[in-house]
Structures are given as structure tokens and as C-alpha cells.
Amino acid sequence: MGEHADRTANRELRARFDDVYGQYQQLRSGLDTLQARLAELRVTRRSADGQVTATVGAQGQLIDVELAPTVYRDRDAGALSRKITETIRAAASAASDATRDLVAEAMPAGSGSVDFLRTGDYAALLGRADAVLGRGEGKA
């Protein structure tokens, strides 16, 4: 009887392993796609008056700033500086939102990754691991 129970338990463990491994393969494939999409992500924002255009990447890194020739009509360097800064910040904020949306598409629900990108709270990122360890699922 004990041998039968062991075989049944082994089959159940194998089925569970196959399921988890399949989920891992799907996640891994999704992460490759996510990485490529993030590398290609560009977000562009234009100032309200159209004089400044800023383009940033997925991490908010500045890729390009364009100034319209009309910026030279107004010789207020401080105002131009603020307009450039505001436009870059708007582009970076939009890139952050776009990055979070891409990650949300690729990550399993409840993984904590999306919450971490939104809040910067490491507890959200580690919440699943904490929950598993707290329930003793991580113990052998």
C-alpha cells in the first residue's frame, strides 16, 4: 500500500512540476518579448506652445530634445529652461506609465512587479515571496 501511495505522490509531484515548468517557460518567453519592447519604447511629448519636443526611453532617459526656431524670438533663458524641463518630465512620466503597462501585460497577476513600478515599494515586489515563506511553503 505504501508503494502505491509513493507512486501516486510522485505522479502528483511530477504533474505539479510540469505545470510550474510550463508557467516558467511561458513567463520566460514573455520576458524576452518584454525586454525587446522596452528597448524599443520611445515616448515623445511637446510643450503646450509646441516650441519644445522631448523624446525619452523606457527608463525616462533623454534621447532627443528639439527646439522650434520660434524659441529664439523670446530671449527669456529661464522660461525656456523651465519649458524644456517640464516637457522632459512629462515625457518621462508618460514613459513610466507605458513601461508599467508593458510589464503588466507580461507579468502574472499578483506578481508584485507592477505595483513596484507604480510605487517603488520593495515590499510589493517581495510580497509573494514573503507570503510563501510566511505560510511555510518554502520549507522542505
Side-chain angles (χ1 to χ4, degrees), residues 118-130:
R118 184 175 40 80
T119 65
D121 179 8
Y122 283 99
L125 184 61
L126 300 174
R128 173 73 177 133
D130 290 343

Side-chain angles (χ1 to χ4, degrees), residues 84-102:
I84 291 170
T85 301
E86 290 169 5
T87 305
I88 292 170
R89 282 185 183 151
S93 177
S96 176
D97 292 344
T99 297
R100 186 179 61 245
D101 291 346
L102 287 175

Side-chain angles (χ1 to χ4, degrees), residues 5-17:
D6 288 345
R7 285 184 184 162
T8 301
N10 284 340
R11 269 190 300 240
E12 290 172 0
L13 284 172
R14 180 64 189 182
R16 177 68 179 134
F17 173 80

